[in-house]
Amino acid sequence: ERAARLKLLLGAAGLPVMPSETHIVPVLVGCPVRAKQITDLLMSEHGIYVQPINYPTVPRGTERLRITPTPFHDDILMVRFVEALCRVWQKVGLRLKDAA
């Protein structure tokens, strides 16, 4: 339920959520340098730990963030996370999709 909720929040914010049938919520970045920049900024500016996943774990061009929500991540924490991610996403030069 927490993963499904986070996927909805991320998608509504215009972030490219990848399909997943597990509790892992992958967000496509598509660049190893930007994926690392995003995770570094989330940690240094917001105190949020997220793993970047790069080649050879995933094919080149499909670099992503590996987000793993737990039952302890309530809606308030998730909204704060999405806001922080949107800020750093744009800070590294990526664009958000238009909300549907």
Side-chain angles (χ1 to χ4, degrees):
E1 184 275 330
R2 294 287 72 201
R5 175 72 176 141
L6 184 58
K7 287 177 186 179
L8 286 173
L9 292 171
L10 292 165
L15 291 156
V17 179
M18 300 174 74
S20 171
E21 295 182 18
T22 71
H23 68 288
I24 297 168
V25 179
V27 175
L28 180 65
V29 177
C31 170
V33 173
R34 285 191 171 139
K36 179 73 167 110
Q37 288 174 330
I38 289 168
T39 59
D40 287 349
L41 287 169
L42 283 171
M43 179 57 85
S44 66
E45 295 182 1
H46 302 280
I48 299 170
Y49 175 74
V50 173
Q51 284 183 293
I53 306 298
N54 298 312
Y55 177 85
T57 304
V58 297
R60 286 185 174 95
T62 67
E63 295 82 6
R64 62 198 71 176
L65 306 179
R66 180 186 194 266
I67 305 164
T68 52
T70 73
F72 298 106
H73 294 103
D74 62 21
D75 284 353
I76 293 170
L77 288 175
M78 287 189 180
V79 167
R80 288 180 185 159
F81 168 70
V82 171
E83 290 170 351
L85 181 54
C86 286
R87 281 195 289 278
V88 299
W89 191 267
Q90 293 173 305
K91 192 172 193 173
V92 302
L94 295 173
R95 295 190 59 200
L96 299 169
K97 294 189 264 179
D98 293 330

